[in-house]
Amino acid sequence: MNISIQPLTPEQTKPVVTSSAFGKVFSNRMYSQKWTVDKGWHDAEIGPYKPIVLDPSSAVFHYGQEIFEGTKAYRRADGHINLFRPWENAARFNRSAKRMAMQGVDPESHVEAIAELVRLEHEWVPTADGSSLYIRPTLIATEAALGVHASGSYLHFIIVGPAGAYFAGGFNPVGVLIADEYVRAVRGGTGAAKTGGNYAASMIAGDLAAAKGYQQVLWLDGVEQRYVEEVGAMNVCFVYGGKTIKTPLLSGSILEGITRDSLLRLAPDLGYPITEERIDAHDILRDIASGAITEAFGAGTAAVIAPIGRFGFMDKEYVVGGNAAGPVAKHLYKSLTDIQYGRVADPYGWTMKIEV
Ligand SMILES: *Cc1c(COP(=O)(O)O)cnc(C)c1O
């Protein structure tokens, strides 16, 4: 391992916090390394969590070369800690970097950096039911120059912080507004990359949905505004007849979720055949109205499974499954989280155990 571990001073050592809303509190340490043309990746270290000092002309502030990841560390019943598919996460980080013309990282060193940071900060991994330590790897362009071209230097860093249970108030469905004005991403664009600009582009539709009483936005494709893509920052699934699951086929503008990929593998083993298809939003609304669709849910690391109880479209409302979490969503949620928290054996080789 070539990560230099910096000691913390007493001022840099805040008391451990294990209960906090998502994304508000971060642990005492962070990982970082730098890339330049001359030196390649260098100065890998885990040191105190602290502000980053950048030149105001740094490329990230102007042209948005920025990517990130989101993954979690889960407290096992035996006290040790699990990472969930960190290798797929690292691979996606590099796919995002490539799309944004940024320098990728060595995937093994990246996973090792996460594992080492989590090991050092293991006390920050909560034990409460449904909680976790959220891990946010990030890569930003740091070249101090305003020319429009790929940056010649990068900063890679990883921060971690406790995340309380997503469903603290119960496994309750969300309402989703189908976006008929804005799109999130287009084919050939950056929708498949976890890059900040996609989220910046989505905020306005999120605000519109919130003003109409919905918690999330359902995104349609950017060409015909007809085919279902994602829900908020999650992939989306529809359950037919309490059994068969449909999820949109990756279109180039859909982000390839690791939760989605895990469901493609897990759901059939639990007796739910799952297909990837181009899904017309009008068919979805028809099938909700007829009762053919019995459940809908989002899938992503934050919630794992987020049941959807109602869809709004053109001032009409379509209620799914009586606006209550359905049995398939509950079953998938339990089965996947059982693997993540190490409550059952992991037949898929998805977890990486960190001994603490
Ligand atoms: C991160 C993300 C997802 C879900 O990916 P997971 O790997 O399952 O967490 C889906 N859509 C978007 C837009 C995302 O940013």
Side-chain angles (χ1 to χ4, degrees), residues 5 46-47 81 119 148 205 219 223 228 244 261 270 280 282 326:
I5 311 285
I46 293 176
I81 295 165
R119 202 173 287 124
V148 181
W219 298 106
V223 179
V228 174
T244 309
D261 187 69
L270 298 175
D280 187 325
H282 298 98

Side-chain angles (χ1 to χ4, degrees), residues 92 184 194 199 230 233-235 255 257-259 299-301:
R92 186 171 67 191
R184 190 190 82 91
K194 248 179 153 64
Y199 304 84
E230 302 201 48
M234 289 181 282
N235 297 113
L255 192 123
I258 291 164
T259 314
T301 296

Side-chain angles (χ1 to χ4, degrees), residues 29-40:
R29 293 180 177 87
M30 65 187 286
Y31 167 88
S32 64
Q33 65 170 343
K34 295 172 184 153
W35 189 88
T36 55
V37 177
D38 294 348
K39 292 192 181 170

Side-chain angles (χ1 to χ4, degrees), residues 1-2 22 24 56 62 64 70 74 88 90 156 161 165 173 177 179 187 207 213 215 273 292 305 321 335 348 355:
M1 188 174 73
N2 60 354
F22 165 77
K24 301 226 191 260
H62 306 278
Y74 303 91
E88 281 75 13
H156 172 210
L177 183 67
R187 262 192 296 289
D207 287 352
Q215 288 83 42
I305 301 283
S335 302
Y348 306 104
E355 308 246 349

